Amino acid sequence: TQLLEQSPQFLSIQEGENLTVYCNSSSVFSSLQWYRQEPGEGPVLLVTVVTGGEVKKLKRLTFQFGDARKDSSLHITAAQPGDTGLYLCAGGRSGAGSYQLTFGKGTKLSVIP
Amino acid sequence: EAQVTQNPRYLITVTGKKLTVTCSQNMNHEYMSWYRQDPGLGLRQIYYSMNVEVTDKGDVPEGYKVSRKEKRNFPLILESPSPNQTSLYFCASSLDLYQETQYFGPGTRLLVL
C-alpha cells in the first residue's frame, strides 16, 4: 500500500501555463517535504512545511500543507522549461528515537517551450 | 564544498558476487540513509542510521546490510546480489534526527545480471 499518493503521475504543459500537483495520504505526518529531481541526479529539497494549513512561496512555486497534515499541494505559476523534472513529495514521521521519510512515486513534469 | 559522495556511480555485476557501495558526507551529519529508486515504485528507504553504531531497517531492507563505524561513512553492502536488486541507489544525510532536510548523493546505478 502506497502511503503517499501523488497526482498526476505525468504532466505535459505549454510554457506559461499554471499547474498543480497533489500529494495525498490517510496518515498524519509531522512534516511534508517537496523535492525536485533531474535526470542523473539526486533529489534536491525545495521546501519543508510543518504546520497544518501552512503556505510557503518560492518564487513561482506555492506549497500548501493541509489543515490535518495529511496532504499537500504544489502550484506552479507561469511554468518555464526550466521547471521540467520529477517532483517528489515526502512525509516525515518521528517515533520514539526514530525517524522515517516516506516518498510518493513522483510527478514527472514536462514544460514545452 | 558540502556534499554527499557515492562510489561507484555505475556498476554491472553478476548474481552472487558481493559488492559494496560507499557513501561519504563531509557535513558532520548524524543521520544517514539509503534509498532505492525504481520505475513505478518511487524512492524507498532501505536502511538508516541515526548515529555511529546505530542503524535500523527501512521499508525494504531484505538482501542488504549497512554499517556505520564512522560518522562520515555509511556503506551499503550486498552480500549476494540478485537481479531484483538492479536499481538506482541514493545515499542521503541530514544534520540530525530532527533536522529533516536531507541532502542526497548523485546516485549509483546498479545492474545485476
Side-chain angles (χ1 to χ4, degrees), chain B residues 29-82:
Chain B
H29 284 173
E30 290 185 355
Y31 188 91
M32 298 184 74
S33 58
W34 275 102
Y35 295 87
R36 61 177 289 175
Q37 187 173 36
D38 303 288
L41 295 175
L43 271 165
R44 294 177 292 167
Q45 192 177 50
I46 304 170
Y47 267 95
Y48 64 95
S49 169
M50 291 180 289
N51 212 327
V52 175
E53 301 294 359
V54 181
T55 64
D56 209 345
K57 296 177 180 179
D59 297 318
V60 288
E62 293 77 21
Y64 304 95
K65 284 176 59 177
V66 292
S67 70
R68 188 90 181 274
K69 293 184 170 62
E70 306 167 279
K71 199 173 192 179
R72 63 182 293 127
N73 296 322
F74 190 43
L76 179 69
I77 303 156
L78 284 71
E79 293 271 4
S80 182
S82 61

Side-chain angles (χ1 to χ4, degrees), chain A residues 11-13 19 76 79 83-87 107-111:
Chain A
L11 189 55
S12 182
I13 61 171
L19 66 111
I76 301 179
D83 295 327
T84 293
L86 179 67
Y87 289 83
T107 294
K108 192 166 187 179
L109 171 66
S110 296
V111 181

Side-chain angles (χ1 to χ4, degrees), chain A residues 31 33 37 97 99-101, chain B residues 31 37 45 50 97 100 102:
Chain A
S31 66
Q33 300 181 325
Q37 184 180 14
Y99 175 75
Q100 277 194 285
L101 199 61
Chain B
Y31 188 91
Q37 187 173 36
Q45 192 177 50
M50 291 180 289
L97 177 63
E100 297 172 340
Q102 290 200 73

